[in-house]
Amino acid sequence: MNKEKQCICQDTQRHFLFRAFDSLGLEDAQRELLLSSFRETRFSIPVVLHRDGRDTLCTFQGYRVQHNHARGPFKGGLRYHPEVNQGEVRALAQLMTWKTALIDIPFGGAKGGVTINPAELNKSELEVLTKRFIQKMEPLLGVHQDIPAPDMGTNAQVMAWILEEYSKTHGYTPGIVTGKPVELGGSQGREEATGFGVACVTRKVAGGMSLHLEDTRIVIQGFGNVGFHTAMTLARMGARVIALSDVRGAVHCEAGIDIEAARAHVAQTGWLEGLPGTEPLSNEAMLELPCHILIPAALEAVINCDNAGAIQAKVIIEAANMPVTHQADTELQERGIIVVPDILANAGGVLASYYEWVQNLQEFPWEHESVLRRLEQHLLRVYGEVSHHAEENETDLRTAAYELAIGRVNKAIQLRGF
Ligand code: NAD
């Protein structure tokens, strides 16, 4: 994320948090504790890279921010990206604390990362870098202490290297990391969990508005892991997805897009562009299409002061992290547009991570159907709690979600007495 976007996101996150702090009536000392990281560690990671016919020593910067563990072990992904820095990792670690608390799983929040462009390293260089990073981070980690997961620029293979490095000194420990390959104790259903959860929440919201999914016009921005699995699950549920997009642009078809055909087209050409039976559209125009439900599933801050007034959806489901800026959020609320916040809508991924950890502790893998059934029930229960809290307190879903999450963390801190 570039510096400008990072500032917008941090500003947005602070705004949402402070709104909830105010409505909860928290004192300054409580706010300070809730905002403080438990521990922030910076590592130097030296790796020898073979470039231009000679060996060159390169030292990369790595971070692990452990924000809060009042409710359970620290939990959060590792990001490999050229713009990773301590401020960004700190903000993302905080977000994990609120997300795990909102969905009421026994984890706290953490995040880590390395300032690197992973595309510039070959596979064995990435393996060396990852294992060296874990050697340095090892004293912080533990199945009941801190459990990493994938994030931008990392994947199941990186998690497998973490498992291997940690297991060298601790014995085979699959529960040390989530998002692993299924062959090494990863969970069935993890791959589609986030998008599947977004689709379940979308169906629930449509039902609450007395909309039949077949008649509900849905627009989805982004056709990567989250966007694709959201679209695919909604299509299986019978929904009508009228527009989809990727980084190149959008495609539109009022009668509904065949998601399987879109997937096949992307597999063949690399892009949605030119999908038979659809009209091309710009990403900006797509966000402003008349529709019932808009699902941003690509980037942060795509709905902002510039376009909030032009959004015609009745509901926005935040599948991406922070796709709506706080100024846009206020404008959308004034216009009566419902926003289901990211910490609720895209929590299916961290929920599946929790299930993976539980399966590892039990040494008992669950079946695919069982993972998805539990995930749907769990997420809809949380959606019900948030809706109920919002109605009771005459507030919006985002403030309700933050109030519930912060309240739980604050309560745990008080009970534990630190
Ligand atoms: P991804 O990299 O798999 O896919 C991103 C998609 O967005 C791609 O289709 C890409 O073409 C598209 N895109 C990029 N720039 C775009 C632009 N300017 N306009 C329109 N589309 C654009 O990423 P993902 O894993 O699907 O994650 C998407 C979002 O969801 C991110 O905000 C991520 O932080 C969030 N998220 C992901 C997960 C998860 O489990 N993957 C969990 C929680 C939140």
Side-chain angles (χ1 to χ4, degrees):
M1 199 189 303
N2 66 35
K3 282 260 153 44
E4 193 194 349
K5 273 259 175 92
Q6 210 176 306
C7 286
I8 294 172
C9 288
Q10 288 176 7
D11 194 32
T12 290
Q13 193 178 327
R14 278 185 85 77
H15 183 91
F16 293 148
L17 261 182
F18 277 73
R19 194 163 69 189
F21 283 171
D22 288 344
S23 53
L24 286 168
L26 295 185
E27 292 166 10
D28 287 350
Q30 287 172 303
R31 294 175 188 224
E32 197 181 336
L33 179 56
L34 286 165
L35 289 173
S36 302
S37 304
F38 174 82
R39 184 193 281 136
E40 298 192 7
T41 318
R42 183 177 174 148
F43 310 88
S44 55
I45 314 167
V47 183
V48 174
L49 303 179
H50 195 72
R51 295 288 179 274
D52 302 323
R54 63 192 182 94
D55 288 342
T56 310
L57 175 66
C58 297
T59 303
F60 298 99
Q61 296 305 310
Y63 306 90
R64 185 70 177 167
V65 173
Q66 298 175 321
H67 173 245
N68 188 292
H69 66 159
R71 305 183 71 258
F74 298 107
K75 183 87 189 88
L78 292 179
R79 175 171 288 197
Y80 287 0
H81 191 273
E83 275 148 7
V84 161
N85 61 56
Q86 194 146 348
E88 181 187 52
V89 174
R90 184 185 299 130
L92 293 166
Q94 269 190 24
L95 197 59
M96 284 302 295
T97 300
W98 316 130
K99 201 179 273 190
T100 56
L102 176 67
I103 58 173
D104 210 4
I105 55 176
F107 285 142
K111 205 78 174 190
V114 181
T115 314
I116 192 175
N117 181 354
E120 288 174 3
L121 272 67
N122 64 34
K123 193 174 173 189
S124 49
E125 289 167 344
L126 270 179
E127 179 177 350
V128 171
L129 172 110
T130 301
K131 291 186 172 175
R132 204 147 290 162
F133 186 30
I134 295 308
Q135 281 161 20
K136 297 211 164 183
M137 216 193 316
E138 187 264 341
L140 303 181
L141 302 181
V143 175
H144 297 287
Q145 201 169 322
D146 188 345
I147 306 135
D151 194 86
M152 208 182 284
T154 58
N155 54 24
Q157 174 60 78
V158 175
M159 300 305 113
W161 292 328
I162 295 175
L163 164 59
E164 161 62 13
E165 191 58 33
Y166 188 84
S167 297
K168 277 182 190 158
T169 41
H170 296 268
Y172 183 62
T173 319
I176 190 56
V177 71
T178 60
K180 304 174 288 290
V182 172
E183 295 83 351
L184 289 174
S187 179
Q188 298 286 348
R190 174 67 188 86
E191 174 69 20
E192 68 265 41
T194 306
F196 176 82
V198 172
C200 293
V201 170
T202 304
R203 176 164 64 178
K204 184 75 184 169
V205 173
M209 295 168 74
S210 305
L211 284 169
H212 292 293
L213 265 190
E214 312 83 69
D215 308 325
T216 309
R217 297 157 71 246
I218 299 173
V219 169
I220 303 177
Q221 184 191 44
F223 201 58
N225 175 285
V226 179
F228 166 69
H229 286 293
T230 301
M232 197 66 231
T233 312
L234 282 168
R236 288 192 183 123
M237 290 170 172
R240 183 151 64 108
V241 178
I242 62 160
L244 284 173
S245 74
D246 59 25
V247 66
R248 280 250 187 131
V251 291
H252 176 214
C253 172
E254 273 302 310
I257 295 173
D258 178 342
I259 307 301
E260 283 285 14
R263 173 161 65 174
H265 181 78
V266 171
Q268 205 177 12
T269 68
W271 313 104
L272 284 163
E273 196 175 45
L275 177 66
T278 64
E279 297 292 327
L281 203 65
S282 72
N283 250 301
E284 294 72 28
M286 187 195 76
L287 291 174
E288 298 170 10
L289 276 176
C291 63
H292 294 103
I293 299 182
L294 171 60
I295 308 181
L299 300 175
E300 59 289 328
V302 289
I303 301 171
N304 48 47
C305 303
D306 296 337
N307 62 0
I311 300 292
Q312 299 192 59
K314 301 198 177 341
V315 179
I316 295 173
I317 312 272
E318 292 188 335
N321 283 324
M322 271 181 267
V324 177
T325 65
H326 69 86
Q327 295 96 335
D329 193 62
T330 306
E331 191 171 342
L332 295 170
Q333 262 189 56
E334 284 165 4
R335 294 182 51 218
I337 297 172
I338 297 166
V339 180
V340 180
D342 49 6
I343 58 166
L344 169 59
N346 69 27
V350 68
L351 201 47
S353 275
Y354 165 58
Y355 295 160
E356 180 176 334
W357 180 74
V358 169
Q359 291 169 70
N360 295 152
L361 293 187
Q362 293 176 330
E363 299 183 8
F364 182 68
W366 305 349
E367 287 178 6
H368 191 257
E369 262 315 297
S370 163
V371 172
L372 295 185
R373 198 182 59 243
R374 276 174 198 264
L375 194 145
E376 178 171 8
Q377 282 171 359
H378 192 136
L379 214 48
L380 294 186
R381 193 184 72 232
V382 178
Y383 176 78
E385 283 170 7
V386 174
S387 308
H388 180 70
H389 187 85
E391 264 169 42
E392 264 199 337
N393 295 281
E394 294 179 3
T395 190
D396 58 294
L397 291 173
R398 192 189 313 275
T399 306
Y402 271 95
E403 282 180 8
L404 284 171
I406 294 164
R408 283 177 186 150
V409 177
N410 200 35
K411 182 77 183 171
I413 292 173
Q414 282 173 19
L415 287 169
R416 291 180 64 157
F418 53 82

